[in-house]
Amino acid sequence: MTATEVTPDEEAAHAALAASRSRVDPALRAAVDTLPEDMRHIAGYHFGWWDELGRPTESSAGKALRPALVLLSAEAAGGSAEAAVPAAVAVELVHNFSLLHDDVMDNDATRRHRPTAWRVFGVSAAILAGDALLGLASSVLVESGHPAALDGTRVLNTAVQELIHGQLTDMAFEQRDHVDISQYQRMAHDKTAALLGCACGLGALFGGARPEQIEHMRAFGENLGLAFQYVDDLLGIWGDSTVTGKPVHSDLDGRKKTLPVVAALCSGTPAGAQLADLYLGQRELSTADLRTVADLIDAAGGRAETHQRANDLLTEALNDLDKARPGAKAAELTALAHLTTRRQN
């Protein structure tokens, strides 16, 4: 098989993402249209719907993994995807609230191959646009009229609190010399896995699932989300910038303590010691330094360990999915899980 060919599983996953996008996008746009004009303008730019002047564009709005998980989880529980669309929209709004804020806090200049919203509209405007999306997410759920809307709002708000705590912890790590793997896992759970767990649990809830089925779907999403974060950590160091939309070694340039870095620093190897001297120092890292840092992380075992942990989490996630008895949707959810954790890195 050549690098450009795709497997049947990948085709199934992409088909599921496209089907989700076609269902969710109209409702997402309708929700954003209710925002005040200035907030709507910034949000639409961030979603890739138009440029900074409001002219329609063909920019990517992302894969919309979380909405797809909501809809498939609802169907796996025996409900309809259509009834779960408000839940999918709410989760996508929360996700993009976090992206708008993350770009500011991480000082990221680009997202999806074009300037981030804060670079175009300013820091304060981007933060406020993120706040607007967060408030809108709860409104979409409450106004859906679904019998599970109130419980769903509680589930979503809990995930938001975890997400915020995870982001705060991630920022605190930047000021610390030592972070161990268990501390990193807790942060990554809150920052990334909690919302994917919420997507699956919320979808199951809107699909009328039994409590134990909701719990298994939530666990599936959380383990998948943690694996997703670990793969993202690999991409932040070794990913192809034409695929990721961010500069090569972007995480290293910000001296972020992602899992490959933490694993390497905790490895007790000579390469790990060299990495600590360079990465935890005060001087600015040159392009050559960043390449050296990436090589030291690899030599200390950080890259291999991160790969292994992501693979182990995928196995756990699929076990949880099997326990949820997703019926005819098992194949699509499994395909999505594989696609999520096998991105190019």
Side-chain angles (χ1 to χ4, degrees), residues 50-93:
W50 46 72
D51 66 14
E52 65 275 14
L53 298 178
R55 297 172 299 200
T57 69
E58 298 298 325
S59 298
S60 170
K63 290 186 175 66
L65 169 66
R66 292 155 189 83
L69 289 172
V70 173
L71 300 187
L72 287 172
S73 296
E75 292 180 297
S80 72
E82 195 60 39
V85 166
V89 169
V91 168
E92 185 70 346
L93 288 169

Side-chain angles (χ1 to χ4, degrees), residues 90-155:
V91 168
E92 185 70 346
L93 288 169
V94 166
H95 174 54
N96 282 277
F97 138 76
S98 74
L99 295 183
L100 281 161
H101 284 203
D102 283 357
D103 286 342
V104 171
M105 290 183 283
D106 294 342
N107 201 35
D108 284 336
T110 60
R111 177 172 292 281
R112 301 175 189 135
H113 309 286
R114 64 178 190 162
T116 45
W118 73 266
R119 287 292 299 269
V120 176
F121 302 102
V123 168
S124 297
I127 291 172
L128 290 171
D131 293 343
L133 295 186
L134 179 59
L136 184 59
S138 292
S139 296
V140 167
L141 278 183
V142 170
E143 295 169 8
S144 69
H146 193 284
L150 183 58
D151 286 342
T153 302
R154 294 192 188 102
V155 168

Side-chain angles (χ1 to χ4, degrees), residues 202-215:
L202 191 59
L205 177 65
F206 269 60
R210 303 179 306 278
E212 63 272 19
Q213 194 175 19
I214 294 172
E215 180 58 26

Side-chain angles (χ1 to χ4, degrees), residues 290-336:
L290 294 175
R291 287 195 295 267
T292 299
V293 166
D295 289 343
L296 288 171
I297 294 169
D298 200 354
R303 187 176 191 173
E305 181 167 350
T306 302
H307 269 295
Q308 185 59 54
R309 286 179 180 270
N311 288 337
D312 290 345
L313 283 162
L314 173 61
T315 299
E316 289 185 42
L318 294 177
N319 285 338
D320 290 319
L321 179 62
D322 184 61
K323 292 174 184 176
R325 301 185 181 279
K329 293 300 168 181
E332 288 171 273
L333 285 163
T334 299
L336 267 185

